[in-house]
Amino acid sequence: MSGQNHEHHVSSAGQLWAVAAGLFILTILTVVMAKFVAIPPPFDVIVALSIALVKAFLVAAFFMNLYWDTKFNAMLLLMAVAFFILMVSITLLDMLYRVDVVPSF
Amino acid sequence: MANHSTTQTAHVQHHFVDGDQQFDTAKLGMWVFLVNEILFFGGLFMAYIVYRAWYPELFTEAALELNTFWGAVNTIVLIGSSLTVAMAIRSAQKNQTKGLKINLLITIGLAIVFMVIKGFEYSHKFHLGIFPGQFYSYEGLQHAQAPIFFSIYYMMTGIHALHVIIGIGLMMWIYVRARRGEFGSDYYTPVEMTGLYWHLVDLIWIFLFPLLYLIE
């Protein structure tokens, strides 16, 4: 990966079409799961978000080239996700355990 | 402007060792910007999560006002445009200016299709009186916090749509430069960066679609 004259990764047209096909299929799957399969409440969100995460991985790894890229860029993305999870966790620790919901919210 | 006689290639600026270093630097900078964008949208997702945790029944009811079919069509359209942008970058890498231009035009076309569908969705809601915040006047969904759901909906999809419009502008700029023959295998940095930006717009929609449209 290092060195002065390294070649940039060039995805083949077949690879790109395969990734897009995967994304199309997952989109149809998530709609079918949400609209035609009765999944009990907490798990419907988990299924929908899991499919979204797989789609996001496909886009980030193969369309945005992180799979072939320097690991530093992938680390930046993962750090952003980690800090987002931190923000959500700390905020929910407050918001979910209040005796009274904030008035007018 | 760089001087042809003193530098290896015209596009490499004097403070970079070579084109590769310049490319990697630009890409790192772009990723820092994209990470900023993710955290910026993260604030909006945070608002969504808190309100959904507080009012789960509201989100279930309000999602029925959103048209899953057109949301799914828009998802397919954006994924298709991500594919064509990736193909545009591939064309640039392989010195195929014609393929680059065609793929950019298809991408711009798909982005416009996305905006037109979004426009129809918005105008349908405006017609019903579904406005954000205090302007909400829809009779069909009576819930004290219904205006807040649609404030979140309009803010998230609206800022996303703004990104799509900016993306259309960027791709027109790339198209004009591609027509001048500025891009090839030795220099395609702006194509790559615009592509990264466009994939991020797709990435955000991948989460917006199930969270807003697919709640049962």
Side-chain angles (χ1 to χ4, degrees), chain B residues 8-194:
Chain B
Q8 197 182 353
T9 26
H11 63 271
V12 179
Q13 306 210 2
H14 68 89
H15 47 277
F16 290 110
V17 175
D18 54 22
D20 272 346
Q21 194 203 17
Q22 176 170 281
F23 180 81
D24 288 341
T25 308
K27 208 166 179 184
L28 172 63
M30 193 64 198
W31 270 106
V32 171
F33 168 69
L34 295 184
V35 160
N36 259 296
E37 290 273 276
I38 290 168
L39 291 174
F40 163 69
F41 274 97
L44 295 169
F45 280 106
M46 184 73 248
Y48 172 95
I49 291 166
V50 168
Y51 273 98
R52 183 154 180 194
W54 278 348
Y55 307 107
E57 76 290 348
L58 163 66
F59 279 69
T60 314
E61 281 178 62
L64 298 175
E65 303 298 331
L66 305 183
N67 191 317
T68 309
F69 175 75
W70 288 113
V73 169
N74 258 352
T75 309
I76 300 286
V77 166
L78 266 197
I79 290 169
S81 71
S82 254
L83 171 66
T84 55
V85 143
M87 295 293 255
I89 293 168
R90 181 184 139 78
S91 300
Q93 287 170 325
K94 292 172 72 75
N95 280 322
Q96 296 161 345
T97 305
K98 194 178 173 211
L100 170 62
K101 286 190 290 186
I102 290 171
N103 277 305
L104 282 171
L105 286 179
I106 299 172
T107 311
I108 293 168
L110 288 172
I112 291 170
V113 168
F114 179 91
M115 287 310 296
V116 168
I117 292 176
K118 202 88 221 121
F120 278 119
E121 284 189 87
Y122 273 13
S123 65
H124 174 68
K125 284 186 191 63
F126 293 158
H127 182 72
L128 291 174
I130 301 177
F131 292 100
Q134 59 174 324
F135 306 104
Y136 185 83
S137 60
Y138 180 49
E139 304 286 322
L141 177 61
Q142 301 283 4
H143 187 294
Q145 269 75 29
I148 294 178
F149 173 87
F150 286 103
S151 295
I152 292 172
Y153 166 81
Y154 281 120
M155 194 52 95
M156 292 183 107
T157 57
I159 290 178
H160 179 268
L162 182 66
H163 279 78
V164 174
I165 292 168
I166 292 169
I168 293 172
L170 285 172
M171 276 175 304
M172 285 173 167
W173 169 62
I174 296 295
Y175 177 78
V176 169
R177 291 187 64 182
R179 271 189 63 171
R180 289 198 217 117
E182 290 187 24
F183 304 123
S185 61
D186 59 334
Y187 179 66
Y188 61 93
T189 311
V191 188
E192 173 91 11
M193 300 309 136
T194 306

Side-chain angles (χ1 to χ4, degrees), chain A residues 4 8-9 11 34-35 105, chain B residues 20 51 68 90 93 188 216:
Chain A
Q4 287 206 340
H8 294 158
H9 175 81
S11 301
K35 293 287 164 189
F105 271 39
Chain B
D20 272 346
Y51 273 98
T68 309
R90 181 184 139 78
Q93 287 170 325
Y188 61 93
E216 281 294 279

